């Protein structure tokens, strides 16, 4: 219970402050500290991220940091890929899912640690937005991640949103993709331990409010570097587990 509460608070903090990253932390915790199988961890992570991102979205919307039309286009393009990915994930071996998750987490960590590209404010075409949304939806479905840790960079570099707006808009995309992936997994997912998931999600929701306040006081670059370093370590450990064990 203590581990679930602590991990939930960190997951919520990441989602509230960065617009993503919650499930990248939730999945390893659920597997290595709470005893979930990779498929069950992916499904539980989607439930936690859906509840937390929807809560955090409300706060960011109140601050005027959500671009609803852009986010809706991005999310809509990813709904079908997310659902198909969710179906595919039930047929893949656990070791492959772990390795795939580690690879995606590593790529996201490197992107977060790199300096900003200067693409903020440069608008892109609707097909480019839809293409990025479709790709991230597929990642969400297969690996059980909300995709926010990839969505925020895409919204900045591909769509052209500024960082603070990208964080808020990402939460809309994350919630929609997580819901689509969950619906695809309905009836095929492993039994879930709600005694763990409920306190995990509750702590994450509370943490998301603190994350939103933190984002207004600490620079986005500092938050990205801290999270990127932690994420790189998690990716390395999971890749080692998939390859060696």
């Amino acid at each position: 219970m203590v581990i679930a509460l602590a991990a939930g608070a960190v997951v919520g903090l990441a989602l509230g402050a960065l617009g993503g990253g919650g499930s990248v932390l939730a999945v390893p915790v659920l597997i290595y500290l709470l005893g979930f199988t990779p498929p069950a961890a992916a499904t539980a992570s989607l439930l936690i991220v859906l509840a937390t991102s929807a809560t955090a979205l409300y706060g960011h919307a109140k601050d005027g940091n959500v671009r609803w039309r852009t986010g809706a286009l991005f999310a809509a393009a990813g709904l079908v890929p997310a659902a198909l990915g969710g179906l595919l994930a039930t047929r893949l071996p656990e070791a492959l899912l772990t390795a795939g998750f580690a690879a995606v987490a590593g790529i996201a960590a490197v992107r977060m640690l790199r300096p900003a590209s200067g693409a903020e404010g440069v608008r892109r075409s609707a097909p480019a937005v839809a293409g990025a949304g479709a790709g991230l939806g597929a990642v969400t479905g297969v690996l059980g991640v909300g995709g926010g840790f990839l969505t925020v960079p895409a919204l900045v570099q591909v769509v052209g949103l500024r960082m603070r707006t990208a964080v808020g808009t990402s939460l809309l995309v994350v919630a929609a993709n997580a819901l689509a992936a969950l619906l695809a997994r309905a009836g095929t997912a492993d039994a879930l331990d709600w005694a763990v998931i409920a306190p995990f999600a509750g702590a994450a929701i509370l943490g998301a409010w603190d994350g939103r306040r933190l984002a207004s006081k600490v620079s986005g670059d500092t938050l990205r570097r801290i999270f990127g370093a932690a994420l790189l370590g998690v990716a390395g450990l999971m890749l080692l587990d998939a390859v060696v064990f």
Side-chain angles (χ1 to χ4, degrees):
M1 176 70 76
V2 174
I3 294 175
L5 289 172
V10 174
V11 166
L13 194 68
L15 274 168
L18 299 171
S23 52
V24 177
L25 295 174
V27 170
V29 169
L30 289 166
I31 293 174
Y32 297 111
L33 297 182
L34 296 172
F36 282 56
T37 65
T43 302
S45 171
L46 288 169
L47 284 166
I48 293 163
V49 167
L50 174 59
T52 309
S53 59
T55 302
L57 174 63
Y58 173 76
H60 281 273
K62 284 181 63 178
D63 294 338
N65 291 326
V66 179
R67 296 293 177 266
W68 294 99
R69 293 177 65 179
T70 299
L73 173 60
F74 201 98
L79 292 180
V80 172
L84 293 176
L87 292 173
L88 176 63
T90 62
R91 295 168 171 79
L92 295 177
E94 292 184 4
L96 182 58
L97 288 173
T98 301
F101 187 95
V104 171
I107 292 170
V110 170
R111 294 181 70 90
M112 286 187 169
L113 291 170
R114 287 169 52 189
S117 66
E120 290 188 3
V122 180
R123 297 292 175 180
R124 299 293 190 265
S125 65
V129 176
L136 291 173
V139 171
T140 296
V142 173
L143 299 180
V145 296
F149 64 99
L150 294 174
T151 303
V152 171
L155 288 172
V156 172
Q157 297 171 8
V158 178
V159 181
L161 298 184
R162 300 192 182 280
M163 182 62 192
R164 196 175 298 279
T165 305
V167 168
T169 306
S170 169
L171 292 165
L172 173 61
V173 179
V174 167
N177 283 345
L179 178 59
L182 275 172
L183 291 175
R185 290 166 181 261
T188 62
D190 294 349
L192 299 178
D193 186 352
W194 288 100
V196 172
I197 295 174
F200 199 128
I205 290 171
L206 293 176
W209 288 101
D210 290 331
R212 182 172 65 91
R213 288 193 292 268
L214 180 65
S216 66
K217 298 177 181 178
V218 180
S219 73
D221 286 340
T222 299
L223 288 170
R224 282 198 302 271
R225 283 195 295 268
I226 293 172
F227 185 74
L231 187 54
L232 193 59
V234 169
L237 289 173
M238 293 193 74
L239 187 59
L240 182 66
D241 177 56
V243 173
V244 176
F245 301 103

